[in-house]
Amino acid sequence: MHVELHHITKTFGGLRANDALSLSFAEGRIYALLGENGAGKSTLMKILSGYQPPDSGQILIDGRAVTFETPADALRCGIGMLHQDPLDVPNLTVLDNFMLGRREGLLPKRKAARAALEQHAARLGFHLDPFRYVDSLTIGERQQLEIVRLLSLGARLLILDEPTTGISAEQKQTLFSSLKRLAAQEGMTIILVSHKLEDVAALCEEVYVLRGGKLVGHRHMPTSIDELVTLMFGQSLPPPARRQSALGEEILRAEAVSLTARRLTVRDLWLSVRRGEVIGLAGLDGSGQSDFLRACAGLQPLNGGRILIGGIPIRGKGYAELLRMGVAYAPSGRLEEGLVDGLTLTEHFALARAGGAWINWRAMTALAAEQIGRYNIRGMPHSPVQTLSGGNQQRALIALLPENLRLLLLEDPTRGLDVESTAWVWQQLLARRDQGAAILFTSPDLDEIVTYSDRVLVFCDGRATLVSDLAASTRNPAEQLGELIGGKVYEPR
Amino acid sequence: MNLAKARGALLTFSGALGVALVLIALIMLSLDKAPLAAGRRFLDGVFGTPSARADVVMAALPMLLCAAGLLLTFTAGLWNIGVEGQVTMGAIFATIIARTIPRDVSEWGILAALILPAELLLAMLGGALWAGLTALLKLRGGINEIFGGVALNFISVNILLSLVNGPWRVGTFPQTAPFASAALLPRHPELRLSPLAIAIALIAFGAVFMALRGTRFGLALRAIGRNAKSAGILGVRVERHILWAMIACGALAGLAGAFQVLFTRGRLLPNISGGIGFMGVLIVLLVGVRAAWVLPVALFVATVPVGSLKLATSLDSSVQIDAALGNVFQGALVLAVLIGGGIRARLAARRKERAEHG
Ligand SMILES: Nc1ncnc2c1ncn2[C@@H]1O[C@H](COP(=O)(O)OP(=O)(O)OP(=O)(O)O)[C@@H](O)[C@H]1O
Ligand SMILES: [Mg+2]
């Protein structure tokens, strides 16, 4: 199946999100679609997958023009898309979600569906328990479910919008090898939308680059990462600088903490964090890193032990109370947990900033405009948050963090950000550290953890081990971290 | 909201009104009644005379109060079906004071001026208590506010019945004695109208309107209604806001209950609420949580019970119908508006798609 996009244009109000884009995708090849946050990647892919119509332009499949009214139409023509934010139904089981959208009689055949689910999952090397509820899955697992569902419905062209943001290194390995096999052996066409240039280099054969809604480049891999960055941003970036600052008093203390994560129970976790420190939490997806963050924010109960913030036990305190003690939590779920679909940016700032009973809308609009400028968010104060591009939603989430924090708890803070924004967001975060905030963050990206953490807490098999000499390690630190995550016993030198 | 949208909403509403009217006309024809004559009589009964118009306004006030309270809870995504019980409790609590007031209070001096405020405040407390209970059942017991509300409605009705059949009963019927005039809302000298009640209802509605528009509380309720989890992460105290939204709604419903005993009926009797809580729900459903429309819609909805009562008591048998037909009409109207809204949304989506393709 050969798919061509011909002069696709899409505008939102005055904004040209896609400007006469012409791209072509051949059978059995793996493509990357690159571009900075807000470049128009998701918009184009949503058009190709029938999620929204273009203003003008054509989609050709094997030379024949097609129009899609709905994503189901596109899927019938063999085009399936994995969205940036999961679209599954959280309070159904894996099997129920799999069966949604299958065209069957009134009485769905659960047995047959289960067999199909297992067969397609095996074909990709995924393990999915049919009877788990979707909201207990990790983002990585939800993604696997969605891919299996699309394939079983006959997708011949698979679009993956930032599939590696939020999944573990292990899950990424599995995903990439399955995708390569699908392309090589079954003639599947794959389009990867990503900001991770290493991923692009590892997986893709051809690259399209968008900037400001226009196509600015088409390259065959291998192409140097520098050249791609230059294409994306119009310049290449210096590596982020790191600064050392003096540590302050102890802000967070975990004593013999035990908590339940999705897959396992973490036991006997001890940690002491001082102001001005950055602690990375590493581990396979669902090993308890996120749960520990949530527990520190008072959003998840402990099985045992206690957590103290500034010497005060947080047991029984809600998040709102901790927030006033200078603790803030930013989740990776964006529209699920963090931003409110339907409210504008101004309204978000009005909510997040303390103030009197009356809202001064003029001042809040000014504040929103200022933060939009400062955090370089592509949007207006009156934009509803769901109209922002994924990366811009993430920036908004960071911009919403209150000032004067003592402890930042960040779940995958640069999820979906392009290289430039990632460096920039960290610059902001490290500035807060220099003002005396401690930072705890999770990331599936080991390089990010190694680059920014002073110490790393490695979660593996229900244990949490503190690693403090990564930077001093002579070997490749990310590699060493990978081994620890995989279960190798840590031996401090 | 832009003009085209407002026009669309108005169009849907008139269409739905037409459908509901045709339905009622058909029912009347099947009962050998004259729908046109009845319609004329109805309009005359609600608009014809100053006293008819006053009746409509006064009937609208309790509904307006309930609708105002429900705007808060609906905004926060809460289905406060318990509003009916909150009205009943308001009526009961107001009666606690009202039934003890003697005919002659000339010796009370300044205290006499405190009777009415005390009654109204107690009524608000009663409604708030009942709503707070629903909220606590939800927050602490995990019981959905709809189920908790229905249960508390049932309990409040039984409390009311046991009071008017038992300790508070005066005379042969299960009801209290008529209250002394010092206990009642002051009346206009000629019309069945209470300017004070109108002022209170309008101020209450205005306060809700402003709260939703310009306060942190209103914005927080909106955020909770759309995504409570995210609202919590943004620093909103979700449980506390849910509790306060319910309590505020209950207080307003309690006030509506006080209006029922202190003006409309002048005493406490069974079925004191007469369904005004549910009318409030209908009004909010009709306007789709757009606060500004509540005022005219409440007035419109109030014409139905007033007008159908006039028809029911008419001596002319060709137009005389049971007052229950008014409820049928109301139900049909709400259904038609909701369906109309659905159709309009679908048409708009299709039109937009076509425009984008073309
Ligand atoms: N429904 C919408 N309404 C208004 N503007 C929109 C809408 N959808 C997208 N946009 C705007 O179009 C532009 C392109 O968005 P798009 O989601 O395609 O970016 P992207 O390249 O996927 O970015 P990211 O890497 O951050 O996900 C953005 O400025 C965005 O705000
Ligand atoms: Mg995107």
Side-chain angles (χ1 to χ4, degrees), chain A residues 12 15 17-18 35-44 46 52 84 161-162 193 195 378-379 386-392 416 418:
Chain A
F12 295 108
L15 183 113
N18 285 170
E36 60 186 325
N37 290 131
K41 306 178 296 292
S42 295
T43 303
L44 184 65
K46 282 182 188 166
Q52 60 192 16
Q84 206 165 353
D161 197 351
E162 302 192 30
V193 179
H195 294 296
R378 295 269 170 85
Q386 74 275 17
T387 67
L388 300 181
S389 82
N392 283 302
D418 61 45

Side-chain angles (χ1 to χ4, degrees), chain A residues 171-338:
Chain A
Q171 284 171 333
K172 187 163 87 180
Q173 285 301 322
T174 316
L175 178 66
F176 280 9
S177 56
S178 319
L179 291 178
K180 279 183 178 161
R181 207 170 51 238
L182 283 175
Q185 293 172 8
E186 305 186 18
M188 179 87 82
T189 308
I190 290 164
I191 306 175
L192 175 78
V193 179
S194 180
H195 294 296
K196 307 237 168 98
L197 298 178
E198 317 82 74
D199 291 355
V200 171
L203 184 68
C204 302
E205 298 160 298
E206 287 180 43
V207 178
Y208 287 107
V209 183
L210 303 187
R211 195 191 319 150
K214 291 200 175 66
L215 183 66
V216 293
H218 177 197
R219 296 282 186 281
H220 287 259
M221 294 303 278
T223 302
S224 80
I225 286 186
D226 260 357
E227 186 179 348
L228 293 178
V229 169
T230 313
L231 275 175
M232 282 164 69
F233 302 104
Q235 62 186 9
S236 81
L237 298 164
R242 219 177 139 190
R243 233 173 65 200
Q244 214 56 50
S245 60
L247 299 186
E249 82 271 23
E250 180 184 79
I251 176 70
L252 174 75
R253 184 173 190 84
E255 295 176 348
V257 162
S258 146
L259 47 78
T260 311
R262 273 175 291 226
R263 289 201 188 131
L264 38 76
T265 304
V266 179
R267 291 209 171 78
D268 204 31
L269 186 160
W270 293 78
L271 181 68
S272 160
V273 182
R274 294 165 65 185
R275 295 181 70 166
E277 254 189 313
V278 181
I279 310 280
L281 308 182
L284 295 184
D285 200 17
S287 304
Q289 316 89 296
S290 309
D291 308 84
F292 179 57
L293 272 190
R294 295 176 57 84
C296 292
L299 293 164
Q300 186 168 321
L302 299 182
N303 297 345
R306 57 178 194 159
I307 295 176
L308 301 100
I309 285 174
I312 302 166
I314 63 166
R315 198 195 164 97
K317 293 195 197 306
Y319 176 65
E321 217 166 323
L322 292 179
L323 197 57
R324 277 185 309 160
M325 290 168 60
V327 179
Y329 167 70
S332 73
R334 292 201 286 240
L335 284 179
E336 264 170 75
E337 192 184 34

Side-chain angles (χ1 to χ4, degrees), chain B residues 256-270:
Chain B
F259 281 21
Q260 288 292 90
V261 283
L262 301 182
F263 185 87
T264 317
R265 303 294 190 156
R267 54 160 45 133
L268 186 67
L269 49 143

Side-chain angles (χ1 to χ4, degrees), chain A residues 69 324 338-339 347 350 359, chain B residues 214 216 222 227 230 237 353:
Chain A
E69 300 272 331
R324 277 185 309 160
L339 300 176
E347 286 168 335
I359 297 172
Chain B
R216 196 166 292 282
R222 265 206 291 151
N227 186 341
S230 291
R237 290 162 183 255
E353 222 163 77

Side-chain angles (χ1 to χ4, degrees), chain B residues 179-258:
Chain B
F179 299 144
S181 65
L184 298 179
L185 281 161
R187 274 176 69 160
H188 186 270
E190 281 128 44
L191 296 170
R192 264 179 59 83
L193 199 78
S194 169
L196 178 65
I198 296 176
I200 292 175
L202 285 180
I203 289 172
F205 175 71
V208 168
F209 189 78
M210 297 300 282
L212 285 177
R213 251 210 168 168
T215 66
R216 196 166 292 282
F217 180 67
L219 180 59
L221 292 188
R222 265 206 291 151
I224 292 170
R226 290 175 170 278
N227 186 341
K229 235 181 184 180
S230 291
I233 296 294
L234 288 168
V236 174
R237 290 162 183 255
V238 175
E239 298 208 333
R240 195 176 290 193
H241 277 84
I242 285 180
L243 182 64
W244 279 109
M246 289 292 284
I247 285 180
C249 179
L252 290 172
L255 205 52

